[in-house]
Amino acid sequence: MATNDPSTPIDVDLTRSTSGVWLVKMPKYLSQILTEYGDGAINGEVGRLIKRPQSQPTKGTASTTAATTATAASGGRSQDVFFCLNDHIMDKLKEKNPSKDFKLPPREHRFCLSNISDGVLRSVYTRTVNSSNSPIGEQISIVGKVIQRAEVRPVENEEYMSMKRKHFETSQEPTRKAQMINKKTNMYVPRRDHEANKERNRLKKQAGKRIRSSEDAVLHSIFAAFSKNQYISMSGLEAITNQPKSFLHQLVKRYCNYNSSGHTYELKSQFRHYNIPKEEEEEEEDDIEDDEDDDDDEDNNNNNNNDNL
């Protein structure tokens, strides 16, 4: 069972640990093709390795030296190995991309072998997630050890160059671009006002202008509201008393404390009919000091404005 704890034993399947596997490196586009279309190949065949006589480069060039070295490493055999994609995969690519602009990938790739001479043992393993009913959540299996390394390289012919050119042009195209519109589209005329705003204005007109009532009547409504709820917001008090905001704000400052955490108001301790813990009383004292500081700041600002006038 896979776990992050190094002291917990892990169940590893070593049945195929002695099998030999090849480590093959290939281009990204070829790996994507084999991943997408390899499962549907006939008998699991995605391609074949073909041997061909090695092309003779011009004497005195670097290619001649490389070819001589490759021939000596292969025991005197002057042959090139190519990896050819299966016909089934090429047909699937044509069916999925019928556009003329689509460039098919090259069918043949050079297959270069290299020996492992560093002495490092490389193993290949798989991780399979089991069903929820299994006691082992994840099964780790050793597929085999790497005995040969190879690299699939594209043949730099016209087919490969045109495909890379198309990929480069596609990557350079902006994701958003302006387009010419040939047909008429729906035009939406902007509205001066919306129905929700009209309904709100209509309700305000029906309610009429708020008229200032006597202070005793307003205080009676405020105390009645606070007898039902401990905390009430300013908008709630306006809806209950139906008084002008400036007049109501003066009364609230005189008889209530502001609760900054909930942006609500609560009656001062001398006007309550219930007791509160000491911790809340200390918090209220801090709020009262803050309110007094705010009032002093407002008075100072008003005096400064009067002096400037």
Side-chain angles (χ1 to χ4, degrees):
M1 182 180 295
T3 178
N4 295 329
D5 188 3
S7 62
T8 305
I10 302 175
D11 186 12
V12 181
D13 185 8
L14 302 177
T15 306
R16 300 168 58 189
S17 61
T18 57
S19 302
V21 295
W22 284 25
L23 181 62
V24 182
K25 181 181 178 181
M26 61 182 60
K28 184 178 180 180
Y29 69 90
L30 184 60
S31 175
Q32 292 175 350
I33 292 173
L34 296 181
T35 303
E36 187 173 356
Y37 302 101
D39 295 338
I42 301 174
N43 297 327
E45 181 182 336
V46 296
R48 291 189 177 186
L49 297 178
I50 301 176
K51 289 183 178 182
R52 291 179 182 171
Q54 188 176 15
S55 59
Q56 297 296 332
T58 307
K59 293 184 178 181
T61 61
S63 301
T64 306
T65 307
T68 305
T69 306
T71 304
S74 59
R77 294 173 296 174
S78 59
Q79 289 183 339
D80 287 336
V81 182
F82 291 88
F83 172 73
C84 297
L85 286 173
N86 196 357
D87 295 336
H88 176 75
I89 294 179
M90 299 300 294
D91 294 339
K92 286 291 185 181
L93 285 172
K94 293 179 182 179
E95 291 177 4
K96 188 175 181 180
N97 304 281
S99 176
K100 295 182 180 180
D101 297 334
F102 177 74
K103 300 296 182 181
L104 287 173
R107 183 171 182 177
E108 292 187 357
H109 296 76
R110 186 175 285 105
F111 196 82
C112 303
L113 299 175
S114 60
N115 296 325
I116 300 177
S117 58
D118 54 3
V120 179
L121 179 61
R122 297 175 175 86
S123 300
V124 181
Y125 69 95
T126 60
R127 305 176 69 172
T128 306
V129 179
N130 297 328
S131 61
S132 58
N133 298 329
S134 176
I136 301 176
E138 189 178 41
Q139 179 65 49
I140 300 178
S141 302
I142 302 296
V143 178
K145 59 181 180 180
V146 178
I147 61 174
Q148 183 69 53
R149 295 181 63 180
E151 184 176 356
V152 179
R153 299 176 183 175
V155 180
E156 296 181 358
N157 51 15
E158 184 63 27
E159 187 178 12
Y160 171 75
M161 298 305 292
S162 61
M163 183 197 69
K164 296 301 293 183
R165 189 184 304 112
K166 185 63 179 177
H167 285 178
F168 180 75
E169 292 174 356
T170 304
S171 63
Q172 295 299 318
E173 291 181 358
T175 55
R176 297 182 180 180
K177 55 185 178 180
Q179 296 180 354
M180 183 67 70
I181 299 177
N182 297 325
K183 60 180 181 179
K184 186 178 179 181
T185 58
N186 296 329
M187 301 296 294
Y188 298 96
V189 180
R191 297 183 179 182
R192 296 182 59 186
D193 204 354
H194 295 277
E195 295 297 331
N197 297 336
K198 292 180 181 179
E199 183 67 19
R200 191 183 303 110
N201 294 333
R202 187 181 63 82
L203 294 176
K204 284 184 178 180
K205 290 181 179 179
Q206 288 183 357
K209 188 176 180 180
R210 292 179 178 178
I211 302 174
R212 180 172 176 175
S213 303
S214 62
E215 184 175 340
D216 294 337
V218 177
L219 288 177
H220 179 74
S221 302
I222 292 175
F223 290 146
F226 277 109
S227 64
K228 299 177 182 178
N229 299 295
Q230 184 178 357
Y231 301 99
I232 304 177
S233 62
M234 177 58 72
S235 59
L237 291 173
E238 290 180 10
I240 293 171
T241 59
N242 196 22
Q243 293 295 307
K245 189 173 182 179
S246 59
F247 174 59
L248 183 61
H249 192 66
Q250 295 176 3
L251 297 178
V252 168
K253 269 193 171 183
R254 194 185 308 166
Y255 294 96
C256 301
N257 293 330
Y258 179 68
N259 182 18
S260 58
S261 60
H263 302 288
T264 54
Y265 289 90
E266 182 186 15
L267 285 177
K268 293 184 178 180
S269 57
Q270 59 267 31
F271 303 111
R272 295 176 188 156
H273 62 282
Y274 56 89
N275 296 325
I276 59 173
K278 293 183 179 180
E279 295 180 356
E280 295 186 6
E281 287 183 356
E282 294 177 357
E283 293 179 358
E284 287 181 358
E285 291 177 358
D286 295 338
D287 293 339
I288 291 171
E289 292 178 357
D290 294 339
D291 292 341
E292 291 177 353
D293 294 339
D294 294 339
D295 294 340
D296 294 338
D297 293 338
E298 290 179 359
D299 294 337
N300 292 331
N301 293 331
N302 293 331
N303 294 330
N304 293 332
N305 292 332
N306 293 331
D307 294 338
N308 294 330
L309 293 173

